[in-house]
Amino acid sequence: MKYLILGAGAAGLTFANRLKNIRGEDSFLLLEKNFEAGGLCRSVFKDGTPIDICGGHFLDVRYPHVTKFLFEFMPENEWNKYVRDSRIELSNVTVNSPLEANIWQFPLEEQVEYLDSIAKVGCNSGKKMPEKFVDWIRWKLGDKIADEYMMPYNKKMFGDNLNELGTYWLYKLPSVNFKETLLSCLTKRAYGKQPGHAEFYYPKKFGYGEVWLRMAQNIANHIEYGKNITAIDFNSNTVTTSDYGKYRADKIIVTIPWREFARLDGMPAELVSDIKKLKHTAVQIKYFPENLDAKAQWTYFANPALSYHRIVYQNNINDNWNGYWTETRAERVKGVLHDGKTIFMNDYAYPLNTIEKPKIMERLLDWCRERNVYGLGRWGEHCHHNSDVTVSLAMSLAGKI
Ligand SMILES: Cc1cc2nc3c(=O)[nH]c(=O)nc-3n(C[C@H](O)[C@H](O)[C@H](O)COP(=O)(O)OP(=O)(O)OC[C@H]3O[C@@H](n4cnc5c(N)ncnc54)[C@H](O)[C@@H]3O)c2cc1C
């Protein structure tokens, strides 16, 4: 066929639907390892409550072309719109996120300590921005926020070796400068650039997975499920699956993790060894049916004694739903005995933004593009793209190739 799309998550589904709906293209096929479409955005129902099986998934309102496209499959009147209420639990107090905009919610003595620490940061005194994430935390936010929140929280999220992470991805984080923090303490309200999902959509009657199922329905006879891709041959643009299927196409769109290819025939050895350097984390989702007494939609937890780093309260998303789920980096619960709770394990959750990753991906994607093989989405590009960005990128690529 003309297009072979590897993976039926947000990236693959968007790319395929754009080919069909905008270009009238019929010569394409998606191969998907699972028996359902949606990838990380899938949901299941449990006791009448939808659970997002890879953790809370909320659709940011910021890209009108993306929401317009998704509303073609699930009209706007099937979504609720929310203003974000997310919190951070520290040892003695819970405050709104981001911390640096909500220091005014701490007791007065502690506000002074935080402000004193932020006043001394490197970015206020004109020091050059560091290249490592760990150094950036102290340079931008100061020692107190680093020690109380950013260091312990990010270790829980990404692992102990935060030293490996770069700073090129920090545009994703909220940006609040010292004057804004000061102003927020004086006026008792948040200032500065707020984090993503300041406003977001979530389906009224379903989990986030529903919109992707509908998208898959639109191209149902172009998807083969249960196809575990194990190899790619760049000499013949052929892909092999674990059941010995072989598929050849003019153009191949890779949305699966590059490390899923046990064989990459025809690729130079340096690029193959580069792929082995790409890192990621796995995440466990554990659902509890009872309601917690929390006001937020979700809370971040920095306390190292708690295995999880975030709780999403599904009863605060919709009055008809119950329960909450914890999100935990899988390594932190390795070997813990199963306690009968509903658990979902996601082997690929967060691509790690290591210092060397941008160069690796640039070399890899450039080389592949010359052979009509295109990396797309969270894993194809090995980037922390949220689903709205993934959709936008897939729409754009479908228009270009
Ligand atoms: C904890 C967490 C929370 C998130 N929260 C949000 C949020 O609130 N809002 C938001 O917009 N985004 C959120 N995201 C990001 C969102 O999940 C991604 O942007 C989106 O899923 C990326 O889609 P994708 O198609 O690129 O990748 P994926 O969804 O991972 O799709 C890849 C597909 O490839 C398939 N595949 C993998 N290996 C193989 C193989 N060997 N053979 C065949 N098929 C294979 C997979 O089964 C999957 O279906 C979150 C992500 C995580 C991890």
Side-chain angles (χ1 to χ4, degrees):
M1 73 290 302
K2 281 195 200 159
Y3 300 91
L4 183 60
I5 302 153
L6 314 186
L13 290 168
T14 302
F15 184 88
N17 272 284
R18 291 296 279 191
L19 283 187
K20 184 175 179 228
N21 291 358
I22 302 289
R23 310 223 332 233
E25 182 59 67
D26 207 38
S27 178
F28 66 91
L29 180 70
L30 283 97
L31 297 177
E32 169 56 48
K33 172 157 88 172
N34 284 315
F35 290 89
E36 189 179 68
L40 290 172
C41 298
R42 279 174 298 149
S43 315
V44 297
F45 267 92
K46 177 98 184 148
D47 308 326
T49 293
I51 306 171
D52 294 340
I53 66 174
C54 186
H57 272 70
F58 306 100
L59 174 62
D60 206 307
V61 301
R62 66 190 155 161
Y63 295 126
H65 68 291
V66 168
T67 46
K68 185 167 172 263
F69 169 70
L70 293 177
F71 293 161
E72 286 171 23
F73 301 92
M74 193 169 176
E76 188 169 4
N77 63 13
E78 290 197 55
W79 302 76
N80 277 326
K81 199 173 179 185
Y82 300 81
V83 173
R84 172 174 172 161
D85 180 351
S86 63
R87 310 209 180 175
I88 296 170
E89 188 180 288
L90 298 174
S91 49
N92 53 348
V93 65
T94 301
V95 296
N96 278 93
S97 169
L99 190 59
E100 55 276 30
N102 292 294
I103 283 169
W104 58 276
Q105 296 175 359
F106 284 95
L108 195 61
E109 303 73 39
E110 235 176 308
Q111 288 185 39
V112 174
E113 277 182 43
Y114 274 108
L115 289 172
D116 181 44
S117 161
I118 303 172
K120 295 172 185 150
V121 297
C123 76
N124 285 342
S125 56
K127 277 203 188 127
K128 201 172 154 243
M129 180 169 143
E131 285 181 6
K132 285 186 177 177
F133 178 50
V134 275
D135 300 333
W136 176 89
I137 292 174
R138 290 179 193 280
W139 173 85
K140 170 76 183 165
L141 300 167
D143 288 343
K144 187 155 172 74
I145 294 186
D147 295 335
E148 306 272 335
Y149 175 53
M150 286 296 276
M151 289 299 290
Y153 178 78
N154 281 288
K155 274 187 188 169
K156 287 173 81 173
M157 274 281 285
F158 298 124
D160 283 336
N161 208 354
L162 289 185
N163 249 325
E164 288 180 317
L165 304 188
T167 49
Y168 52 85
W169 55 286
L170 299 178
Y171 64 90
K172 283 191 68 120
L173 300 188
S175 179
V176 181
N177 64 34
F178 179 53
K179 275 190 187 166
E180 288 161 337
T181 302
L182 207 50
L183 195 59
S184 66
C185 287
L186 292 170
T187 59
K188 301 200 181 316
R189 51 164 287 210
Y191 283 90
K193 182 182 155 235
Q194 297 301 302
H197 301 113
E199 282 189 288
F200 62 87
Y201 292 102
Y202 195 83
K204 285 182 182 167
K205 292 191 176 158
F206 303 95
Y208 193 48
E210 176 69 13
V211 65
W212 315 100
L213 289 181
R214 294 192 193 178
M215 228 188 256
Q217 196 54 42
N218 193 45
I219 47 166
N221 53 357
H222 290 272
I223 309 183
E224 289 187 15
Y225 293 101
K227 295 291 175 187
N228 179 22
I229 297 151
T230 53
I232 182 167
D233 184 343
F234 289 92
N235 301 312
S236 58
N237 271 17
T238 305
V239 160
T240 310
T241 53
S242 56
D243 56 1
Y244 306 108
K246 281 202 184 291
Y247 301 80
R248 190 154 57 80
D250 298 343
K251 294 186 166 131
I252 300 179
I253 319 303
V254 178
T255 81
I256 69 172
W258 286 93
R259 294 189 65 146
E260 285 286 288
F261 295 110
R263 278 190 12 240
L264 297 126
D265 296 333
M267 183 178 269
E270 313 86 71
L271 288 182
V272 175
S273 85
D274 270 354
I275 288 174
K276 292 191 183 126
K277 293 180 199 150
L278 295 175
K279 296 189 175 171
H280 66 277
T281 63
V283 163
Q284 183 218 58
I285 306 304
K286 191 172 186 181
Y287 173 72
F288 300 78
E290 55 274 13
N291 292 339
L292 292 179
D293 182 23
K295 302 281 173 286
Q297 291 132 359
W298 63 87
T299 301
Y300 303 105
F301 294 85
N303 181 353
L306 302 170
S307 59
Y308 50 85
H309 55 263
R310 179 166 88 144
I311 290 185
V312 175
Y313 312 97
Q314 202 65 336
N315 61 313
N316 289 345
I317 301 290
N318 188 316
D319 289 342
N320 297 319
W321 298 339
N322 286 308
Y324 67 96
W325 63 73
T326 55
E327 301 179 4
T328 310
R329 184 163 54 82
E331 262 189 27
R332 293 178 60 82
V333 280
K334 211 170 167 181
V336 173
L337 284 180
H338 193 278
D339 57 3
K341 297 276 185 232
T342 304
I343 280 176
F344 304 92
M345 195 57 91
N346 301 279
D347 291 339
Y348 289 91
Y350 289 96
L352 284 191
N353 288 315
T354 55
I355 292 167
E356 58 188 353
K357 186 201 78 177
K359 291 222 165 76
I360 292 180
M361 289 313 293
E362 193 185 341
R363 281 195 294 269
L364 174 66
L365 296 183
D366 283 352
W367 186 88
C368 289
R369 209 176 295 119
E370 282 169 19
R371 284 147 190 88
N372 289 322
V373 176
Y374 303 83
L376 175 69
R378 192 166 178 98
W379 302 109
E381 296 167 70
H382 209 81
C383 268
H384 272 202
H385 299 322
N386 269 350
S387 63
D388 54 337
V389 175
T390 303
V391 166
S392 181
L393 290 166
M395 289 171 78
S396 159
L397 188 67
K400 275 191 208 141
I401 60 163

